[in-house]
Amino acid sequence: MNNPTRKVVVAGVMGAISVFLGASHWGFVPWLAGAALTIMHVPVIIGAILEGPWVGVAIGAIFGAFSLLQGAIAPTGPADVWFTNPLVSILPRLLIGPIAWLAYRALRQISEVAALAISGVAGSLTNTVLVLGALGLLRFLPWGVIGTIAVTNGLPEAVLAAVLTVAVVAAWKRIAIGQKGSTV
Amino acid sequence: MNRPSRPSEFELVGRVTIGQYLPTNSQVHQLDPRAKLLMVLLLAIGVVASDSLLGLAILLGGVALCLVSARIPLGYTLDGLRPALPFLLLLALLQILVIPARGPCLRTVWEWAFFSVTDRSLLAGAVLALRFVVMALGISLVSFSTSTTELTHGIEHLLRPMQTFGLPAHEAALVVNITIRFLPILAAEAERLLKAQASRGADFGPGRFGLLTRARKLLPLLVPLFLISLRRADQLVEAMEARCYLGGKGRTNLIQLRAHPRDHLAVLATSMVVALVVYLGSIDVEGLILSSILPCPT
Amino acid sequence: MSQPDTLISVQDLAHTYLRGTPFEVPSLRGVSLTVAAGRTVGLVGPTGSGKSTLLQHLNGLLRPQEGTVHVLGDSLTDPSINIRDIRQRVGLVFQNPEDQLFEPYAGDDVAFGPRALGLERDQVRERVRQAMEAVGLSFDLKDRLTSQLSQGERRRLALAGVLALEPQILVLDEPTAGLDPLGRRSLLDFLSSWASDAKRAIVLATHNMEDIALLSDDVYVLVAGKIVLSGPARTVLQNADVLLQSSLSLPVSVELSRQLRRRGLPVSTDSLTMDEATRQIEVLLRGDS
């Protein structure tokens, strides 16, 4: 169903979810020693899977713009200050949607659920790699530190994204996941 | 008897604020939103492209001038910066002490163990801090002086030239509009969900859990949030189509934006200042000033 | 017969939403309410009157800012009480509870509560079975995808999720909102039979006067955060002046009786339900005194 109005609305709604997750503490899952895992990029992935790569770009832009604004106006941590640079906050986020969408399209013939999970991982890793990459190229952080963050934060974030993507899209599209019934 | 006030852990709606609009009806408020957006864009370019402390100080002066002319209370603006200060200081310190500076003439100011502070690294630290402050104030200025309706129209108009590259300006502005208007609804739904799941015995408290357990604890909140939102999206689409919404082609507006000479002037003045600032950065004006006062170590 | 136990006692409860911020709004101003065992308490009021805020105090989601709330012997102003215990014994069902379903399979969603209580596997299974059957859902539906059930089934599933906690008191916010007449009827029948146990109680908040008329023993009328009228259902629901002034409607049967009386017909206005009103009119039509 290729409804252009629907694309606009879903982009707006998913964008709002991303902003909401960032503005409230819902978007941050506490992890090792203070640094939190983020799920703000998950609406980008879900929006791209449901409505296409361009919607993904739009939601990514909103996510990026918000993280820039948050860094400028109400930072919650030292890292937020780096996000006032659009090369760190906006540019990388534009690609999350299209890459997630590509992964989904490529794999959905094989297994819908696997495609959703891998798509979640791909989208999340795009966010991790491109943002950290920008921080490294702009010399905000040494590459050694970046590598550590990529592993300790990036990998768990990818798992979270996969779990959430599968749960939401499977429920929305009424797809069965794995087991054939409840565990009761 | 009054008990000490502690906001309920469930009250989310009041916490989501995106930057206030203060209608003081000043000259700045009356500027066309497109002009203001262009000015902040130019400001961003200046901040990113220039390494010059002097240049950034000039930009800071400019923004401060605009804030004063917009009749924004100074205390209010600075209050907004307060939460950022500790982190800013930390990063500036990091820049000064740890990150090695580059340049033709490095004069060491202070040395201890493996820490070495040079004149350049001090400049770099100050530049970092100033970059942030200028950007933060600039964005706050736009937010204080422009309503969301004006902003959305401004964004749409500015994006129109991009239509030749395939970017649908009207749709893009509409997406931003929907995002902004949906936020309070989302906060209310989120609050409701939090309360409903807590009432069923869900435990969202802190604790030492593995990754997958944490992921599972999120599901009762996040999955319904997404599903409710997608359902509302469907309803909105139906409502828009029922009102014959057919997309942006040929669509007219009730609010017309008209540019006045003062808008052109404002943008022109800003471009010239930014050009100067970038130039100062490119010629390393600080290096020149320092070299004229102090000798260069061999 | 002994005096029924007071299960919930609310005294001079006051609450301000977003207190301490520039957006603060008083939602409850000195509300007092009692819920006795074996009774169904109806709470009526126009939208924004504070009904939901009041309900959320009953299971400890909100703690009293001023005043006291005693639930099943515990005082909610005491920070050391076991709040999860309260939330099991007082089951709060929000409006449109089907929105909170999140598990892929129906049975798992109902099992969420019992599992959170830490029950054993077979206990959980038994609770789920009983809860589902109580709301009229076949236990076989447990293996169905939640998203594939109809809206009525989903609402019943959500209710089963709360019942599976085996609460002593059920608190419901607009339970029949959005249901078709059949669904509404079946839900009301269920609530009526659930409440017949003398140790249980129900608190029902709604602006649907018919629901109130059918189920309530006692009624409280809440307007702008204050109780303007309270008492036995029969008395309160016939107080047309107060109800109409509070932007509430009257139960249809009461309205009908009023109109007939206005036209000089000797109908008593104390019929609350359609059945009672019908009988009154039958008597009238037959010409008996």
Side-chain angles (χ1 to χ4, degrees):
Chain A
M1 191 192 12
N2 210 356
N3 183 338
T5 308
R6 192 138 198 286
K7 289 189 196 289
V8 167
V9 174
V10 169
V13 166
M14 289 292 127
I17 295 184
S18 181
V19 170
F20 173 73
L21 291 178
S24 68
H25 59 277
W26 284 41
F28 302 99
V29 179
W31 194 229
L32 319 162
L37 303 177
T38 180
I39 42 176
M40 283 173 73
H41 53 301
V42 176
V44 183
I45 298 171
I46 294 178
I49 291 176
L50 291 178
E51 293 293 333
W54 287 113
V55 170
V57 172
I59 306 172
I62 294 177
F63 171 27
F66 178 73
S67 70
L68 189 154
L69 289 175
Q70 191 177 41
I73 302 177
T76 52
D80 274 348
V81 174
W82 293 320
F83 284 85
T84 48
N85 187 327
L87 292 175
V88 174
S89 50
I90 303 187
L91 200 60
R93 272 67 182 267
L94 298 178
L95 288 167
I96 301 176
I99 291 187
W101 178 79
L102 279 171
Y104 176 66
R105 289 296 282 229
L107 296 169
R108 70 193 276 211
Q109 312 295 347
I110 306 174
S111 152
E112 184 83 31
V113 174
L116 289 174
I118 307 253
S119 170
V121 168
S124 184
L125 288 179
T126 307
N127 184 43
T128 306
V129 168
L130 292 184
V131 170
L132 287 177
L135 288 178
L137 288 173
L138 292 172
R139 313 183 105 245
F140 283 143
L141 280 179
W143 288 106
V145 174
I146 287 182
T148 318
I149 299 178
V151 172
T152 58
N153 268 42
L155 293 184
E157 265 179 16
V159 172
L160 272 186
V163 169
L164 220 51
T165 305
V166 171
V168 172
V169 180
W172 182 246
K173 289 186 160 192
R174 306 179 183 193
I175 305 168
I177 312 172
Q179 84 258 38
K180 288 292 175 193
S182 81
T183 55
V184 152
Chain B
M1 180 188 68
N2 253 320
R3 282 175 206 99
S5 139
R6 187 177 54 93
S8 163
E9 67 210 88
F10 297 107
E11 283 178 357
L12 292 175
V13 179
R15 291 205 213 136
V16 184
T17 52
I18 329 177
Q20 292 297 328
Y21 170 54
L22 297 175
T24 65
N25 219 358
S26 69
Q27 287 288 337
V28 178
H29 283 68
Q30 287 170 23
L31 278 179
D32 193 300
R34 292 170 292 178
K36 283 185 271 193
L37 285 171
L38 282 175
M39 285 162 72
V40 94
L41 207 63
L42 288 167
L43 188 71
I45 294 176
V47 161
V48 165
S50 174
D51 279 328
S52 160
L53 186 64
L54 185 61
L56 286 173
I58 294 174
L59 286 178
L60 182 63
V63 174
L65 210 68
C66 292
L67 277 170
V68 166
S69 132
R71 290 183 234 143
I72 311 284
L74 195 64
Y76 189 76
T77 325
L78 294 178
D79 249 0
L81 288 182
R82 220 166 348 116
L85 274 184
F87 308 124
L88 203 54
L89 249 55
L90 185 66
L91 282 176
L93 230 59
L94 216 69
Q95 183 76 30
I96 295 175
L97 292 174
V98 175
I99 304 194
R102 293 169 300 162
C105 270
L106 286 178
R107 301 175 190 84
T108 311
V109 170
W110 180 72
E111 230 169 351
W112 184 75
F114 46 87
F115 289 130
S116 144
V117 177
T118 62
D119 55 349
R120 288 259 170 218
S121 61
L122 277 178
L123 276 175
V127 162
L128 184 117
L130 218 52
R131 272 203 174 119
F132 170 79
V133 172
V134 168
M135 236 16 255
L137 289 182
I139 292 177
S140 302
L141 178 61
V142 173
S143 146
F144 291 147
S145 63
T146 325
S147 71
T148 30
T149 323
E150 284 183 296
L151 271 179
T152 336
H153 278 276
I155 293 174
E156 180 179 345
H157 277 257
L158 284 179
L159 288 177
R160 283 217 190 121
M162 298 284 277
Q163 277 180 315
T164 50
F165 296 115
L167 175 73
H170 164 81
E171 278 75 7
L174 187 56
V175 169
V176 174
N177 209 329
I178 292 178
T179 298
I180 295 177
R181 289 176 201 276
F182 200 64
L183 277 168
I185 299 177
L186 208 51
E189 294 282 13
E191 192 177 319
R192 191 164 70 98
L193 273 172
L194 194 57
K195 290 177 175 173
Q197 305 296 24
S199 299
R200 288 214 273 169
D203 178 21
F204 302 116
R208 317 190 119 266
F209 302 112
L211 181 64
L212 282 181
T213 317
R214 277 189 212 253
R216 262 215 317 243
K217 278 170 170 254
L218 290 176
L219 296 181
L221 288 179
L222 290 169
V223 172
L225 192 65
F226 274 96
L227 295 179
I228 292 175
S229 305
L230 286 170
R231 266 177 240 144
R232 281 194 185 254
D234 277 347
Q235 288 169 1
L236 182 55
V237 173
E238 267 188 49
M240 286 166 76
E241 291 179 333
R243 290 181 191 188
C244 300
Y245 176 78
L246 292 167
K249 238 173 141 104
R251 205 173 162 79
T252 56
N253 279 319
L254 182 62
I255 300 177
Q256 304 281 349
L257 288 180
R258 278 179 232 287
H260 295 100
R262 63 165 174 237
D263 301 311
H264 296 295
L265 217 68
V267 175
L268 194 63
T270 312
S271 338
M272 295 198 309
V273 171
V274 169
L276 172 67
V277 166
V278 173
Y279 172 69
L280 288 176
S282 66
I283 59 167
D284 186 22
V285 65
E286 283 81 18
L288 293 173
I289 296 176
L290 285 173
S291 295
S292 68
I293 312 176
L294 302 165
C296 197
T298 44
Chain C
M1 197 150 59
S2 63
Q3 179 82 321
D5 296 326
T6 302
L7 298 179
I8 298 182
S9 164
V10 176
Q11 299 282 353
D12 293 315
L13 182 63
H15 185 263
T16 304
Y17 197 49
L18 295 177
R19 188 162 72 166
T21 70
F23 309 104
E24 66 175 32
V25 150
S27 42
L28 293 176
R29 314 164 205 244
V31 168
S32 299
L33 176 148
T34 312
V35 181
R39 311 281 281 178
T40 297
V41 171
L43 183 63
V44 291
T47 325
S49 53
K51 301 197 295 292
S52 299
T53 311
L54 180 53
L55 290 191
Q56 284 166 29
H57 279 87
L58 300 182
N59 79 336
L61 281 176
L62 293 174
R63 300 292 192 116
Q65 288 173 358
E66 286 171 49
T68 61
V69 177
H70 284 88
V71 176
L72 297 167
D74 285 327
S75 166
L76 288 186
T77 46
D78 180 355
S80 68
I81 57 170
N82 185 344
I83 209 69
R84 299 194 58 180
D85 190 52
I86 304 250
R87 291 192 191 148
Q88 175 269 314
R89 296 191 289 163
V90 179
L92 177 49
V93 181
F94 280 80
Q95 190 169 352
N96 292 98
E98 59 274 10
D99 284 344
Q100 81 206 28
L101 300 174
F102 70 95
E103 284 280 359
Y105 293 101
D108 287 319
D109 205 283
V110 181
F112 180 70
R115 283 178 183 153
L117 289 176
L119 297 175
E120 293 296 321
R121 211 183 142 161
D122 14 311
Q123 283 177 298
V124 169
R125 192 185 163 90
E126 204 37 47
R127 293 257 184 135
V128 171
R129 174 200 299 277
Q130 283 176 11
M132 285 178 75
E133 286 171 357
V135 297
L137 291 174
S138 153
F139 188 48
D140 296 328
L141 286 180
K142 72 177 174 68
D143 294 320
R144 209 62 104 66
L145 283 181
T146 326
S147 43
Q148 280 174 351
L149 298 173
S150 73
Q151 201 231 359
E153 287 170 328
R154 288 157 55 86
R155 178 163 305 195
R156 287 196 252 173
L157 197 72
L159 183 56
V162 175
L163 289 175
L165 296 169
E166 293 190 351
Q168 193 178 345
I169 305 172
L170 263 187
V171 179
L172 304 122
D173 198 347
E174 304 286 355
T176 60
L179 289 182
D180 59 40
L182 226 63
R184 177 176 163 263
R185 191 78 230 190
S186 112
L187 180 57
L188 293 174
D189 285 344
F190 163 74
L191 289 176
S192 183
S193 77
W194 190 87
S196 59
D197 183 325
K199 289 198 285 294
R200 294 172 173 165
I202 292 185
V203 179
L204 176 61
T206 179
H207 53 259
N208 181 329
M209 304 306 282
E210 303 311 319
D211 289 356
I212 292 283
L214 275 168
L215 291 177
S216 316
D217 299 310
D218 309 304
V219 175
Y220 291 79
V221 182
L222 186 67
V223 178
K226 284 195 162 114
I227 301 278
V228 299
L229 186 60
S230 64
R234 213 162 273 282
T235 320
V236 171
L237 290 175
Q238 289 174 73
N239 193 328
D241 298 327
V242 173
L243 290 177
L244 292 174
Q245 252 178 9
S246 314
S247 314
L248 291 167
S249 56
L250 300 170
V252 171
S253 46
V254 174
E255 178 65 32
L256 182 61
S257 312
R258 257 170 39 112
Q259 299 284 356
L260 291 174
R261 276 185 87 83
R262 278 228 196 95
R263 285 159 174 73
L265 295 165
V267 182
S268 92
T269 54
D270 73 348
S271 38
L272 284 185
T273 65
M274 290 308 285
D275 293 338
E276 292 171 15
T278 315
R279 258 175 273 136
Q280 283 268 316
I281 295 170
E282 273 178 352
V283 165
L284 202 65
L285 288 176
R286 263 183 276 142
D288 298 350
S289 60

mmCIF file with all atom_site columns, all heavy atoms in Angstrom, chain A residues 54-68:
data_model
loop_
_atom_site.group_PDB
_atom_site.id
_atom_site.type_symbol
_atom_site.label_atom_id
_atom_site.label_alt_id
_atom_site.label_comp_id
_atom_site.label_asym_id
_atom_site.label_entity_id
_atom_site.label_seq_id
_atom_site.pdbx_PDB_ins_code
_atom_site.Cartn_x
_atom_site.Cartn_y
_atom_site.Cartn_z
_atom_site.occupancy
_atom_site.B_iso_or_equiv
_atom_site.pdbx_formal_charge
_atom_site.auth_seq_id
_atom_site.auth_comp_id
_atom_site.auth_asym_id
_atom_site.auth_atom_id
_atom_site.pdbx_PDB_model_num
ATOM 1   N N   . TRP A 1 54 ? 12.838 6.501  2.361  1.00 0.00 ? 54 TRP A N   1
ATOM 2   C CA  . TRP A 1 54 ? 12.746 7.958  2.472  1.00 0.00 ? 54 TRP A CA  1
ATOM 3   C C   . TRP A 1 54 ? 12.110 8.382  3.781  1.00 0.00 ? 54 TRP A C   1
ATOM 4   O O   . TRP A 1 54 ? 12.503 9.366  4.406  1.00 0.00 ? 54 TRP A O   1
ATOM 5   C CB  . TRP A 1 54 ? 11.975 8.553  1.295  1.00 0.00 ? 54 TRP A CB  1
ATOM 6   C CG  . TRP A 1 54 ? 12.788 8.520  0.054  1.00 0.00 ? 54 TRP A CG  1
ATOM 7   C CD1 . TRP A 1 54 ? 12.582 7.786  -1.077 1.00 0.00 ? 54 TRP A CD1 1
ATOM 8   C CD2 . TRP A 1 54 ? 14.007 9.237  -0.172 1.00 0.00 ? 54 TRP A CD2 1
ATOM 9   N NE1 . TRP A 1 54 ? 13.570 8.000  -1.988 1.00 0.00 ? 54 TRP A NE1 1
ATOM 10  C CE2 . TRP A 1 54 ? 14.460 8.888  -1.468 1.00 0.00 ? 54 TRP A CE2 1
ATOM 11  C CE3 . TRP A 1 54 ? 14.753 10.134 0.589  1.00 0.00 ? 54 TRP A CE3 1
ATOM 12  C CZ2 . TRP A 1 54 ? 15.625 9.416  -2.019 1.00 0.00 ? 54 TRP A CZ2 1
ATOM 13  C CZ3 . TRP A 1 54 ? 15.917 10.668 0.029  1.00 0.00 ? 54 TRP A CZ3 1
ATOM 14  C CH2 . TRP A 1 54 ? 16.339 10.305 -1.252 1.00 0.00 ? 54 TRP A CH2 1
ATOM 15  N N   . VAL A 1 55 ? 11.125 7.612  4.223  1.00 0.00 ? 55 VAL A N   1
ATOM 16  C CA  . VAL A 1 55 ? 10.531 7.893  5.528  1.00 0.00 ? 55 VAL A CA  1
ATOM 17  C C   . VAL A 1 55 ? 11.603 7.720  6.597  1.00 0.00 ? 55 VAL A C   1
ATOM 18  O O   . VAL A 1 55 ? 11.687 8.482  7.559  1.00 0.00 ? 55 VAL A O   1
ATOM 19  C CB  . VAL A 1 55 ? 9.323  6.967  5.786  1.00 0.00 ? 55 VAL A CB  1
ATOM 20  C CG1 . VAL A 1 55 ? 8.842  7.077  7.219  1.00 0.00 ? 55 VAL A CG1 1
ATOM 21  C CG2 . VAL A 1 55 ? 8.200  7.319  4.837  1.00 0.00 ? 55 VAL A CG2 1
ATOM 22  N N   . GLY A 1 56 ? 12.458 6.703  6.383  1.00 0.00 ? 56 GLY A N   1
ATOM 23  C CA  . GLY A 1 56 ? 13.567 6.488  7.308  1.00 0.00 ? 56 GLY A CA  1
ATOM 24  C C   . GLY A 1 56 ? 14.496 7.691  7.358  1.00 0.00 ? 56 GLY A C   1
ATOM 25  O O   . GLY A 1 56 ? 14.948 8.102  8.427  1.00 0.00 ? 56 GLY A O   1
ATOM 26  N N   . VAL A 1 57 ? 14.773 8.272  6.208  1.00 0.00 ? 57 VAL A N   1
ATOM 27  C CA  . VAL A 1 57 ? 15.628 9.458  6.161  1.00 0.00 ? 57 VAL A CA  1
ATOM 28  C C   . VAL A 1 57 ? 14.976 10.598 6.940  1.00 0.00 ? 57 VAL A C   1
ATOM 29  O O   . VAL A 1 57 ? 15.623 11.298 7.716  1.00 0.00 ? 57 VAL A O   1
ATOM 30  C CB  . VAL A 1 57 ? 15.880 9.899  4.707  1.00 0.00 ? 57 VAL A CB  1
ATOM 31  C CG1 . VAL A 1 57 ? 16.590 11.240 4.674  1.00 0.00 ? 57 VAL A CG1 1
ATOM 32  C CG2 . VAL A 1 57 ? 16.710 8.864  3.971  1.00 0.00 ? 57 VAL A CG2 1
ATOM 33  N N   . ALA A 1 58 ? 13.678 10.773 6.730  1.00 0.00 ? 58 ALA A N   1
ATOM 34  C CA  . ALA A 1 58 ? 12.967 11.865 7.413  1.00 0.00 ? 58 ALA A CA  1
ATOM 35  C C   . ALA A 1 58 ? 13.025 11.692 8.926  1.00 0.00 ? 58 ALA A C   1
ATOM 36  O O   . ALA A 1 58 ? 13.341 12.631 9.660  1.00 0.00 ? 58 ALA A O   1
ATOM 37  C CB  . ALA A 1 58 ? 11.509 11.916 6.940  1.00 0.00 ? 58 ALA A CB  1
ATOM 38  N N   . ILE A 1 59 ? 12.731 10.487 9.391  1.00 0.00 ? 59 ILE A N   1
ATOM 39  C CA  . ILE A 1 59 ? 12.741 10.261 10.831 1.00 0.00 ? 59 ILE A CA  1
ATOM 40  C C   . ILE A 1 59 ? 14.159 10.423 11.374 1.00 0.00 ? 59 ILE A C   1
ATOM 41  O O   . ILE A 1 59 ? 14.375 10.974 12.457 1.00 0.00 ? 59 ILE A O   1
ATOM 42  C CB  . ILE A 1 59 ? 12.206 8.855  11.183 1.00 0.00 ? 59 ILE A CB  1
ATOM 43  C CG1 . ILE A 1 59 ? 10.835 8.640  10.551 1.00 0.00 ? 59 ILE A CG1 1
ATOM 44  C CG2 . ILE A 1 59 ? 12.087 8.685  12.690 1.00 0.00 ? 59 ILE A CG2 1
ATOM 45  C CD1 . ILE A 1 59 ? 10.323 7.223  10.682 1.00 0.00 ? 59 ILE A CD1 1
ATOM 46  N N   . GLY A 1 60 ? 15.133 9.940  10.603 1.00 0.00 ? 60 GLY A N   1
ATOM 47  C CA  . GLY A 1 60 ? 16.528 10.097 11.015 1.00 0.00 ? 60 GLY A CA  1
ATOM 48  C C   . GLY A 1 60 ? 16.896 11.563 11.141 1.00 0.00 ? 60 GLY A C   1
ATOM 49  O O   . GLY A 1 60 ? 17.597 11.962 12.063 1.00 0.00 ? 60 GLY A O   1
ATOM 50  N N   . ALA A 1 61 ? 16.387 12.380 10.214 1.00 0.00 ? 61 ALA A N   1
ATOM 51  C CA  . ALA A 1 61 ? 16.669 13.811 10.271 1.00 0.00 ? 61 ALA A CA  1
ATOM 52  C C   . ALA A 1 61 ? 16.082 14.424 11.537 1.00 0.00 ? 61 ALA A C   1
ATOM 53  O O   . ALA A 1 61 ? 16.714 15.247 12.196 1.00 0.00 ? 61 ALA A O   1
ATOM 54  C CB  . ALA A 1 61 ? 16.098 14.509 9.028  1.00 0.00 ? 61 ALA A CB  1
ATOM 55  N N   . ILE A 1 62 ? 14.868 14.008 11.879 1.00 0.00 ? 62 ILE A N   1
ATOM 56  C CA  . ILE A 1 62 ? 14.234 14.533 13.089 1.00 0.00 ? 62 ILE A CA  1
ATOM 57  C C   . ILE A 1 62 ? 15.032 14.104 14.316 1.00 0.00 ? 62 ILE A C   1
ATOM 58  O O   . ILE A 1 62 ? 15.308 14.903 15.218 1.00 0.00 ? 62 ILE A O   1
ATOM 59  C CB  . ILE A 1 62 ? 12.784 14.038 13.209 1.00 0.00 ? 62 ILE A CB  1
ATOM 60  C CG1 . ILE A 1 62 ? 11.954 14.619 12.074 1.00 0.00 ? 62 ILE A CG1 1
ATOM 61  C CG2 . ILE A 1 62 ? 12.194 14.428 14.554 1.00 0.00 ? 62 ILE A CG2 1
ATOM 62  C CD1 . ILE A 1 62 ? 10.529 14.136 12.047 1.00 0.00 ? 62 ILE A CD1 1
ATOM 63  N N   . PHE A 1 63 ? 15.421 12.836 14.360 1.00 0.00 ? 63 PHE A N   1
ATOM 64  C CA  . PHE A 1 63 ? 16.233 12.309 15.453 1.00 0.00 ? 63 PHE A CA  1
ATOM 65  C C   . PHE A 1 63 ? 17.512 13.130 15.581 1.00 0.00 ? 63 PHE A C   1
ATOM 66  O O   . PHE A 1 63 ? 17.889 13.593 16.655 1.00 0.00 ? 63 PHE A O   1
ATOM 67  C CB  . PHE A 1 63 ? 16.520 10.840 15.167 1.00 0.00 ? 63 PHE A CB  1
ATOM 68  C CG  . PHE A 1 63 ? 17.516 10.185 16.085 1.00 0.00 ? 63 PHE A CG  1
ATOM 69  C CD1 . PHE A 1 63 ? 17.707 10.631 17.386 1.00 0.00 ? 63 PHE A CD1 1
ATOM 70  C CD2 . PHE A 1 63 ? 18.244 9.082  15.660 1.00 0.00 ? 63 PHE A CD2 1
ATOM 71  C CE1 . PHE A 1 63 ? 18.616 10.010 18.225 1.00 0.00 ? 63 PHE A CE1 1
ATOM 72  C CE2 . PHE A 1 63 ? 19.143 8.453  16.497 1.00 0.00 ? 63 PHE A CE2 1
ATOM 73  C CZ  . PHE A 1 63 ? 19.346 8.924  17.770 1.00 0.00 ? 63 PHE A CZ  1
ATOM 74  N N   . GLY A 1 64 ? 18.170 13.323 14.443 1.00 0.00 ? 64 GLY A N   1
ATOM 75  C CA  . GLY A 1 64 ? 19.418 14.067 14.444 1.00 0.00 ? 64 GLY A CA  1
ATOM 76  C C   . GLY A 1 64 ? 19.236 15.496 14.899 1.00 0.00 ? 64 GLY A C   1
ATOM 77  O O   . GLY A 1 64 ? 19.984 16.004 15.738 1.00 0.00 ? 64 GLY A O   1
ATOM 78  N N   . ALA A 1 65 ? 18.219 16.156 14.346 1.00 0.00 ? 65 ALA A N   1
ATOM 79  C CA  . ALA A 1 65 ? 17.968 17.542 14.724 1.00 0.00 ? 65 ALA A CA  1
ATOM 80  C C   . ALA A 1 65 ? 17.670 17.649 16.206 1.00 0.00 ? 65 ALA A C   1
ATOM 81  O O   . ALA A 1 65 ? 18.155 18.561 16.883 1.00 0.00 ? 65 ALA A O   1
ATOM 82  C CB  . ALA A 1 65 ? 16.804 18.103 13.907 1.00 0.00 ? 65 ALA A CB  1
ATOM 83  N N   . PHE A 1 66 ? 16.912 16.706 16.720 1.00 0.00 ? 66 PHE A N   1
ATOM 84  C CA  . PHE A 1 66 ? 16.609 16.767 18.139 1.00 0.00 ? 66 PHE A CA  1
ATOM 85  C C   . PHE A 1 66 ? 17.859 16.570 18.989 1.00 0.00 ? 66 PHE A C   1
ATOM 86  O O   . PHE A 1 66 ? 18.048 17.234 20.001 1.00 0.00 ? 66 PHE A O   1
ATOM 87  C CB  . PHE A 1 66 ? 15.547 15.743 18.541 1.00 0.00 ? 66 PHE A CB  1
ATOM 88  C CG  . PHE A 1 66 ? 15.263 15.763 20.002 1.00 0.00 ? 66 PHE A CG  1
ATOM 89  C CD1 . PHE A 1 66 ? 14.552 16.810 20.564 1.00 0.00 ? 66 PHE A CD1 1
ATOM 90  C CD2 . PHE A 1 66 ? 15.739 14.769 20.829 1.00 0.00 ? 66 PHE A CD2 1
ATOM 91  C CE1 . PHE A 1 66 ? 14.315 16.860 21.927 1.00 0.00 ? 66 PHE A CE1 1
ATOM 92  C CE2 . PHE A 1 66 ? 15.505 14.812 22.186 1.00 0.00 ? 66 PHE A CE2 1
ATOM 93  C CZ  . PHE A 1 66 ? 14.793 15.856 22.735 1.00 0.00 ? 66 PHE A CZ  1
ATOM 94  N N   . SER A 1 67 ? 18.717 15.628 18.587 1.00 0.00 ? 67 SER A N   1
ATOM 95  C CA  . SER A 1 67 ? 19.904 15.407 19.419 1.00 0.00 ? 67 SER A CA  1
ATOM 96  C C   . SER A 1 67 ? 20.811 16.629 19.338 1.00 0.00 ? 67 SER A C   1
ATOM 97  O O   . SER A 1 67 ? 21.494 16.967 20.302 1.00 0.00 ? 67 SER A O   1
ATOM 98  C CB  . SER A 1 67 ? 20.630 14.116 19.042 1.00 0.00 ? 67 SER A CB  1
ATOM 99  O OG  . SER A 1 67 ? 21.240 14.225 17.797 1.00 0.00 ? 67 SER A OG  1
ATOM 100 N N   . LEU A 1 68 ? 20.794 17.339 18.219 1.00 0.00 ? 68 LEU A N   1
ATOM 101 C CA  . LEU A 1 68 ? 21.548 18.582 18.128 1.00 0.00 ? 68 LEU A CA  1
ATOM 102 C C   . LEU A 1 68 ? 20.968 19.616 19.079 1.00 0.00 ? 68 LEU A C   1
ATOM 103 O O   . LEU A 1 68 ? 21.672 20.246 19.862 1.00 0.00 ? 68 LEU A O   1
ATOM 104 C CB  . LEU A 1 68 ? 21.511 19.113 16.693 1.00 0.00 ? 68 LEU A CB  1
ATOM 105 C CG  . LEU A 1 68 ? 22.422 20.313 16.357 1.00 0.00 ? 68 LEU A CG  1
ATOM 106 C CD1 . LEU A 1 68 ? 22.761 20.290 14.886 1.00 0.00 ? 68 LEU A CD1 1
ATOM 107 C CD2 . LEU A 1 68 ? 21.773 21.639 16.697 1.00 0.00 ? 68 LEU A CD2 1
#
